[in-house]
Amino acid sequence: MALNLRQKQTECITRMLNLNQPVNATGTANEEVYKILIYDRFCQNILSPLIHVKDLRKHGVTLYFLIDKDRKPVHDVPAVYFVQASQQNIQRIIADASASLYDSFHLNFSSSIPRALLEDLASGTLNSDSIQRISKVHDQYLDFVTLEDNLFSLAQKSSYVQLNDPKAGDREIEEIIERIVNGLFCVLATLGVVPIIRCPRSGPAEMVASALDQKLRDHLLSKNNLFSEGGNFASSFQRPILCIFDRNFELSVGIQHDFRYRPLVHDVLGLKLNRLSVQGEKGGMKSFELDSADPFWVANGWLEFPEVAVEIETQLNKYKKDVEEVNKRTGGNDGAEFDGTDLIGNTKHLMNAVNSLPELTERKQVIDKHTNIATVLLGEIKERSLDSYAKKENDMMIRGGIDRSELMGVLKGKGSKMDKLRFAIIYLISSETINQSEVEVVEAALRESEVDISAFQYVKKIKSLNVSLASANSASRNNIVDWAEKLYGQSISAVTAGVKNLLSNDRQLALTRTVEALVEGRPNPEIDSYLMFDPRAPKSSSGSSHLKGPFKEAIVFMIGGGNYMEYGSLQELAKRQQPVKHVIYGTTEILTGDEFVEQLALLGQKMGLGNTVAPSTH
């Protein structure tokens, strides 16, 4: 059965809300108990994309509060706590128990509670004579946010800055790696799988892979472990592969503009936890949810924006036609269909019309929602020439540079300061070599637009230190020809879309190409040096041949920030494979292009780079 992270995490949360009792087929406990839910901010973000208020009611949750808010006692009612294991939360739980706020306390920690904190909890409740109120303490291993069936984030902020900070000490780096490993362990525990781990040599990817391998090994030693049901040898042939990368593996994807619907909505409108707020058609802000319950979002999220606009129009016309059909059947416009003497026939038509109303109303709401979102997006696209940015950045990545007059035209044309900065950084990354005089002209143009160039200078420094960026991009340029040939053999519909589309939207990312090679498991010079860890095998036998693939399922994890562009590229890869593969994409945090460039700027400032020169007057 395909791995479905969203479903698995929802099942764990449902069980937790039912006081960790088994739930029946309808997803509720056999015995209904009314209860109160207390959570912290982090766990609120875990719940938000998965559980709605009506779901809480269904599971007997009548009230819900943040842990740090002042709360009044509610007697004779159990309280379910869902919080991170922190000193602050433990102290608050002790205070709540000693004040007898609730009848009983069912404590659920989002990851494993350290022994020291558990001892603090025990001594604190003992001293206040309230230990009898603590019914159960559970480690839930849910320390991650699932946004879609195949998309998760550890919600760990600024990990790119922390891991690349020149002033960071070994202890700080170890702490960040440990946090990432704990988050990944929670994901694997929720899925109930022990994967084969692959990663490039050196850097954060190897540090995380090695530490995760060790953590899984240590955990598997205990008889009663979280993965015991998958322990038989036969299942090892069906195990997924976990591919771990670091953001520096392909820096450009974190910065580029994308012209597909989902990445645009995220990058331009700031989609967070599957929700966004936009200006409504009649003024005022409107809040929308975009998740798997929205059929339009699911079906059209990866189309380019103009195609989405056409699709909205098509759906609206279809809706109008269906409404007309219902009116015709019930309004007596057509004498043959609505005969006054045929009572049974007329009643049947009315019943059908009434039954189709909820579905029609729902369709109209979805159409209105996406019309509103698309209208706001279109305004931004026109104002900032986002279509031009996306196209030119793509061309730069394929051709390996841009004509100087075209480059200056963009930097002096439309777009926000951040759009121009992102474009300039893509110019740097895509160029084979650094042309010093051209770079100085670019910096002067950015200063003229009052842009902080710390991020640009940071990437320039990285580029001069790290030739591998250039070699990775030239490889992807050569590869696009091979890839086009391969695609021609596989999908004729992709060819009819025209070569322009093939090169502009479907330039295969280096990450996607590498994941494809790792999943297929064939000898490939690009991945031959990659490390392999198998936490189930003795340390000496890690390279055994059956572990090299092919794999049906993959989990791809990006350290230092991911985005919808990368997620979309991996989902396309999964669908393109024969038979269709299953790919889950996860990251330390999901970032817009602007947010990622802000992290680059911070690193530039830490290295003493940036606007040290006075703004140019000409």
Side-chain angles (χ1 to χ4, degrees):
M1 197 187 86
L3 301 174
N4 186 327
L5 190 58
R6 185 185 171 91
Q7 183 191 331
K8 292 271 191 188
Q9 194 179 24
T10 307
E11 282 168 8
C12 293
I13 288 167
T14 301
R15 198 170 53 242
M16 175 188 82
L17 292 175
N18 287 292
L19 308 180
N20 291 291
Q21 300 299 315
V23 290
N24 55 33
T26 61
T28 53
N30 295 323
E31 182 192 350
E32 190 168 19
V33 178
Y34 290 107
K35 57 196 86 78
I36 286 173
L37 175 64
I38 313 290
Y39 42 65
D40 60 11
R41 296 257 174 219
F42 187 87
C43 292
Q44 182 182 28
N45 291 349
I46 295 173
L47 293 169
S48 171
L50 301 176
I51 300 277
H52 295 97
V53 172
K54 65 176 189 302
D55 300 318
L56 291 176
R57 299 269 183 271
K58 186 172 108 180
H59 297 300
V61 175
T62 52
L63 297 167
Y64 42 93
F65 302 104
L66 278 162
I67 191 168
D68 53 7
K69 293 276 185 284
D70 288 329
R71 288 165 275 121
K72 293 189 167 66
V74 182
H75 301 296
D76 304 323
V77 173
V80 174
Y81 279 71
F82 181 38
V83 293
Q84 281 191 303
S86 69
Q87 187 65 51
Q88 194 182 351
N89 284 341
I90 293 293
Q91 292 311 320
R92 192 65 198 239
I93 291 167
I94 294 168
D96 289 355
S98 53
S100 305
L101 284 190
Y102 313 113
D103 185 48
S104 59
F105 289 65
H106 296 256
L107 307 181
N108 300 274
F109 294 101
S110 59
S111 62
S112 179
I113 180 171
R115 189 170 180 84
L117 286 180
L118 199 57
E119 286 171 359
D120 287 352
L121 175 67
S123 59
T125 47
L126 261 174
N127 295 341
S128 62
D129 196 24
S130 56
I131 198 159
Q132 74 284 355
R133 295 198 177 278
I134 309 292
S135 293
K136 288 267 175 71
V137 179
H138 290 270
D139 293 337
Q140 290 291 359
Y141 297 101
L142 294 172
D143 221 8
F144 57 95
V145 176
T146 306
L147 298 167
E148 298 186 17
D149 292 353
N150 303 321
L151 177 66
F152 73 90
S153 158
L154 300 185
Q156 296 180 2
K157 293 197 183 341
S158 304
S159 54
Y160 185 81
V161 173
Q162 293 161 349
L163 288 167
N164 291 279
D165 185 349
K167 298 186 178 70
D170 288 353
R171 184 76 204 100
E172 289 157 282
I173 298 286
E174 277 167 27
E175 277 174 14
I176 297 152
I177 297 294
E178 191 183 341
R179 273 213 312 277
I180 295 169
V181 167
N182 284 341
L184 273 174
F185 182 84
C186 288
V187 171
L188 298 174
T190 302
L191 288 169
V193 294
V194 179
I196 309 298
I197 305 169
R198 298 294 305 268
C199 70
R201 287 179 185 276
S202 76
E206 183 182 342
M207 291 160 84
V208 168
S210 171
L212 180 61
D213 175 58
Q214 195 53 56
K215 188 174 175 79
L216 285 164
R217 283 174 185 280
D218 294 345
H219 182 77
L220 289 168
L221 290 174
S222 64
K223 254 200 173 70
N224 188 17
N225 68 64
L226 295 160
F227 307 96
S228 45
E229 67 271 25
N232 57 342
F233 184 70
S235 70
S236 65
F237 289 95
Q238 300 303 319
R239 286 162 62 193
I241 180 173
L242 167 61
C243 314
I244 301 177
F245 297 92
D246 158 37
R247 186 67 274 160
N248 288 330
F249 175 81
E250 195 173 17
L251 204 61
S252 58
V253 190
I255 303 163
Q256 264 179 281
H257 291 84
D258 194 332
F259 207 49
R260 288 172 300 174
Y261 193 38
R262 260 186 224 206
L264 260 180
V265 167
H266 174 243
D267 195 31
V268 178
L269 303 180
L271 180 70
K272 282 261 186 303
L273 298 169
N274 296 344
R275 285 188 176 86
L276 74 133
S277 293
V278 293
Q279 194 75 36
E281 287 166 4
K282 296 172 184 163
M285 295 304 282
K286 276 191 137 180
S287 195
F288 294 120
E289 258 185 77
L290 294 168
D291 56 17
S292 54
D294 179 335
F296 188 92
W297 180 247
V298 172
N300 304 296
W302 299 117
L303 294 179
E304 294 237 325
F305 182 73
E307 297 171 271
V308 172
V310 170
E311 188 56 34
I312 292 172
E313 191 68 31
T314 309
Q315 300 255 3
L316 184 59
N317 291 337
K318 189 173 180 307
Y319 164 79
K320 283 177 180 168
K321 196 167 153 241
D322 290 351
V323 169
E324 222 171 274
E325 185 69 24
V326 170
N327 288 341
K328 197 168 85 176
R329 282 169 172 264
T330 56
N333 300 344
D334 188 322
E337 271 212 47
F338 204 86
D339 178 5
T341 56
D342 180 11
L343 276 176
I344 295 174
N346 294 343
T347 310
K348 201 168 151 192
H349 285 317
L350 278 171
M351 288 295 289
N352 287 341
V354 168
N355 290 337
S356 65
L357 279 176
E359 189 255 349
L360 284 169
T361 310
E362 207 170 297
R363 270 167 60 191
K364 183 70 167 76
Q365 283 171 345
V366 170
I367 293 165
D368 288 349
K369 167 165 78 170
H370 288 280
T371 304
N372 196 165
I373 292 169
T375 307
V376 176
L377 264 183
L378 187 61
E380 289 284 334
I381 289 165
K382 283 183 171 169
E383 194 180 315
R384 291 162 56 187
S385 277
L386 293 177
D387 49 341
S388 170
Y389 275 100
K391 184 170 183 341
K392 285 180 175 156
E393 285 168 4
N394 246 316
D395 291 348
M396 274 197 286
M397 293 305 292
I398 293 161
R399 292 206 311 256
I402 187 171
D403 176 67
R404 184 187 282 207
S405 62
E406 201 178 348
L407 174 68
M408 298 317 292
V410 173
L411 294 178
K412 295 188 177 202
K414 284 181 175 181
S416 67
K417 292 180 187 180
M418 202 50 114
D419 289 331
K420 292 175 182 180
L421 179 57
R422 284 164 65 178
F423 187 79
I425 294 172
I426 293 294
Y427 148 76
L428 254 190
I429 292 172
S430 66
S431 307
E432 291 291 321
T433 53
I434 293 180
N435 176 334
Q436 204 49 52
S437 66
E438 204 168 84
V439 167
E440 281 168 16
V441 173
V442 169
E443 287 184 357
L446 288 171
R447 284 199 184 97
E448 210 173 292
S449 299
E450 299 178 343
V451 176
D452 177 359
I453 60 168
S454 322
F456 183 84
Q457 295 201 329
Y458 175 74
V459 175
K460 184 172 75 172
K461 193 155 186 92
I462 290 266
K463 174 117 180 145
S464 56
L465 295 171
N466 185 356
V467 191
S468 69
L469 265 178
S471 64
N473 289 326
S474 61
S476 74
R477 274 195 295 285
N478 299 338
N479 187 270
I480 194 154
V481 180
D482 312 342
W483 180 64
E485 282 169 11
K486 201 180 344 173
L487 196 79
Y488 275 23
Q490 278 181 348
S491 155
I492 207 73
S493 63
V495 184
T496 56
V499 174
K500 184 178 142 286
N501 267 359
L502 178 72
L503 293 178
S504 63
N505 340 333
D506 300 340
R507 180 186 70 83
Q508 200 176 15
L509 306 180
L511 176 81
T512 312
R513 204 175 62 245
T514 309
V515 168
E516 184 172 16
L518 289 166
V519 168
E520 283 175 358
R522 296 197 194 107
N524 184 321
E526 280 195 39
I527 57 160
D528 286 347
S529 64
Y530 276 44
L531 297 168
M532 179 187 289
F533 300 91
D534 178 9
R536 283 205 185 279
K539 280 222 163 174
S540 55
S541 65
S542 267
S544 61
S545 60
H546 79 275
L547 301 178
K548 295 237 167 102
F551 295 91
K552 288 181 183 172
E553 297 172 318
I555 303 164
V556 179
F557 186 76
M558 181 57 76
I559 301 164
N563 49 70
Y564 279 85
M565 188 176 179
E566 221 156 43
Y567 171 52
S569 179
L570 288 167
Q571 293 312 304
E572 280 164 21
L573 165 73
K575 287 196 190 86
R576 207 171 58 234
Q577 296 281 316
Q578 290 299 330
V580 172
K581 297 277 199 285
H582 188 85
V583 180
I584 292 176
Y585 173 69
T587 174
T588 41
E589 59 177 330
I590 292 178
L591 296 171
T592 64
D594 290 8
E595 287 166 345
F596 182 56
V597 169
E598 279 164 13
Q599 293 201 23
L600 293 174
L602 204 56
L603 285 167
Q605 287 152 16
K606 282 174 183 280
M607 289 172 80
L609 307 168
N611 284 350
T612 45
V613 186
S616 169
T617 50
H618 56 271

